[in-house]
Amino acid sequence: MQTIALQVASGIERAQMFHHLTHWNVALQNLFAFNALLNEHLDPPVLLRRLVEHATKFLGAEAGLAGLVDSNSDLLTTHYWFNGQWHDVIINWPEGTIPHYVYQHQCPYLNNNYQADKLAMSVLATRFKVQNVLCVPILSSGEEPLGFVKIHNKEAGREPFTWSDVSFLESLAHTTAVSLNNAHLMQELAKQRQELQALSVQHINLLEEERTHISRE
């Protein structure tokens, strides 16, 4: 019986090792896919969606959302990722909510009892049955807050969110911030090109008017 037990224990350890190797391999493939997406110069809303999708896969979460500061200095979310699909939501995060707290204080937030959290939003708690919450700010290279990313509910059978999950999500948010900055620079460059073309056309028109005026004189 002891011999059989030792053989079974060895088999279980090998099975666990292969399970972890499979999980690590999938995580590594997802990480490569995420990095490839960030190099495609996507629009900020699309970048945020991809960040949420990959973050939930990496950390074994069921749902998530993200938001950026708009032109009116409002912290806005337009979509919510839940059970593998996007749901349209319009949330302008006021003071007294987790995203606003994270954005204002530029620090992560972790709570595995969302229902009892004073900063919880009752609509999300009721509609999507949120239990676990992890939220981190999206900071620029100059530590300027750009927005936030927030994920909910660990999958069944997984342990609640940990501070190790916080560190990993912060790294994803930081990488996304670099791409957001690049997207902003590309938009500014395109805008400057359009302005330069407009000035060039205006200059040509002025020259033509001056030539016409000289000819007339």
Side-chain angles (χ1 to χ4, degrees):
M1 290 296 291
Q2 287 179 338
T3 302
I4 294 174
L6 289 173
Q7 291 176 343
V8 171
S10 177
I12 292 174
E13 289 177 352
R14 283 198 301 271
Q16 290 176 338
M17 182 184 67
F18 284 126
H19 173 74
H20 289 309
L21 286 174
T22 302
H23 176 72
W24 292 334
N25 184 47
V26 171
L28 188 60
Q29 290 177 355
N30 288 333
L31 187 59
F32 285 144
F34 180 63
N35 286 331
L37 284 170
L38 295 180
N39 292 323
E40 292 181 3
H41 304 297
L42 302 174
D43 292 332
V46 179
L47 279 172
L48 288 186
R49 290 194 193 185
R50 298 298 178 266
L51 169 61
V52 172
E53 291 171 7
H54 283 79
T56 52
K57 287 181 181 179
F58 287 136
L59 299 179
E62 296 177 348
L65 51 89
L68 293 175
V69 178
D70 62 14
S71 57
N72 297 321
S73 299
D74 293 327
L75 198 57
L76 186 66
T77 292
T78 57
H79 295 84
Y80 185 70
W81 177 256
F82 182 72
N83 284 344
Q85 60 182 351
W86 286 101
H87 301 261
D88 293 333
V89 296
I90 302 296
I91 304 176
N92 190 346
W93 299 96
E95 291 188 15
T97 59
I98 293 173
H100 191 278
Y101 176 90
V102 166
Y103 174 80
Q104 183 179 19
H105 296 281
Q106 302 179 32
C107 65
Y109 192 95
L110 169 65
N111 191 346
N112 287 306
N113 188 9
Y114 186 81
Q115 302 287 337
D117 196 316
K118 293 181 179 179
L119 300 181
M121 181 168 278
S122 58
V123 175
L124 291 177
T126 303
R127 181 179 176 184
F128 298 105
K129 297 180 174 56
V130 179
Q131 298 293 333
N132 317 110
V133 58
L134 171 56
C135 186
V136 301
I138 299 176
L139 302 174
S140 69
S141 57
E143 297 299 316
E144 178 187 356
L146 304 175
F148 72 94
V149 56
K150 183 167 173 263
I151 58 177
H152 295 153
N153 292 353
K154 273 296 187 82
E155 296 173 348
R158 288 177 174 262
E159 63 178 5
F161 291 126
T162 65
W163 288 104
S164 176
D165 295 333
V166 171
S167 298
F168 186 78
L169 187 57
E170 282 182 319
S171 67
L172 293 183
H174 176 71
T175 305
T176 304
V178 174
S179 294
L180 287 171
N181 183 60
N182 290 339
H184 176 71
L185 291 177
M186 293 294 291
Q187 291 174 353
E188 287 294 322
L189 182 60
K191 182 180 177 181
Q192 289 178 5
R193 284 177 177 172
Q194 291 177 351
E195 292 177 351
L196 184 61
Q197 289 176 351
L199 287 173
S200 178
V201 171
Q202 184 181 5
H203 181 65
I204 291 173
N205 291 335
L206 288 174
L207 287 176
E208 188 62 29
E209 290 177 2
E210 184 65 21
R211 289 195 188 99
T212 303
H213 176 71
I214 293 173
S215 299
R216 188 181 297 114
E217 289 296 324

